[in-house]
Amino acid sequence: MTTTTLYRFKIDLSDIDRGVYEQLDFRLAQHPSETLQYLLTRAIAYVLNFQDGLEFSTQGLADPDAPALQINTSNGVELAIEIGNPSAKRLHKTSKNAKRVRVYTYKDPEVLLAEVRTETIHRAETIEVYAIDPKFLDRLAKELPRSINWNIMMQEGTLSIADEQTEIRKFNLG
């Protein structure tokens, strides 16, 4: 029987592009069916969008209708963040329920963008898509400890991650 794996993230965030400087400490449970690429993309999306009210889906992967991350306000869902390559149907529903929608994918973004262009999706032109290179995620996932300490900097669209050994990994977020 496969079990859930819990990871603790301690992040020193310097998001120069948004003027956000925070020390984050959160835990993420890796569902048995979830890849490390998906988990790391969820964590990075959380860090890059960090602001008051940003929350992970309360039921995680167990709730197929909820976005991976969202900000709820008294006026509804302010921001919904999907991970991977969500279907056009899912994006349509999410876009109808949220003021802003972002997708962080570690898969081929052209597949997602082609579907967005050819399917009926509510406010498709406003959906923001960010692609994270799977090779970048593979380097992060290699021998990933259960307790992760990273310094993350975002500047001019370039994501830099340094771990305890001060190894810096950079990636242009597209």
Side-chain angles (χ1 to χ4, degrees), residues 9 12 18 32-33 58 106 116 118 120 131 133 164 170:
F9 289 82
D12 186 8
R18 294 188 306 137
S33 67
T58 55
Y106 53 92
V116 167
T118 59
T120 302
D133 183 352
E164 292 120 350
K170 291 188 176 188

Side-chain angles (χ1 to χ4, degrees), residues 100-117:
R100 293 181 298 145
V101 177
R102 291 185 179 147
V103 177
Y104 286 81
T105 186
Y106 53 92
K107 299 179 179 185
D108 182 357
E110 286 307 315
V111 173
L112 175 64
L113 294 171
E115 191 169 356
V116 167
R117 285 190 293 267

Side-chain angles (χ1 to χ4, degrees), residues 17-80:
D17 293 348
R18 294 188 306 137
V20 175
Y21 305 91
E22 295 283 341
Q23 298 219 330
L24 307 175
D25 189 347
F26 60 94
R27 289 168 178 75
L28 275 182
Q30 181 186 18
H31 188 273
S33 67
E34 181 179 17
T35 66
L36 276 178
Q37 286 184 332
Y38 188 97
L39 176 97
L40 289 170
T41 303
R42 276 197 303 144
I44 291 169
Y46 178 79
V47 170
L48 295 180
N49 290 277
F50 181 78
Q51 59 185 291
D52 287 340
L54 182 64
E55 298 176 341
F56 291 99
S57 171
T58 55
Q59 295 180 20
L61 297 179
D63 186 353
D65 294 327
L69 297 151
Q70 64 184 12
I71 297 174
N72 290 309
T73 66
S74 58
N75 297 326
V77 179
E78 180 66 32
L79 172 65

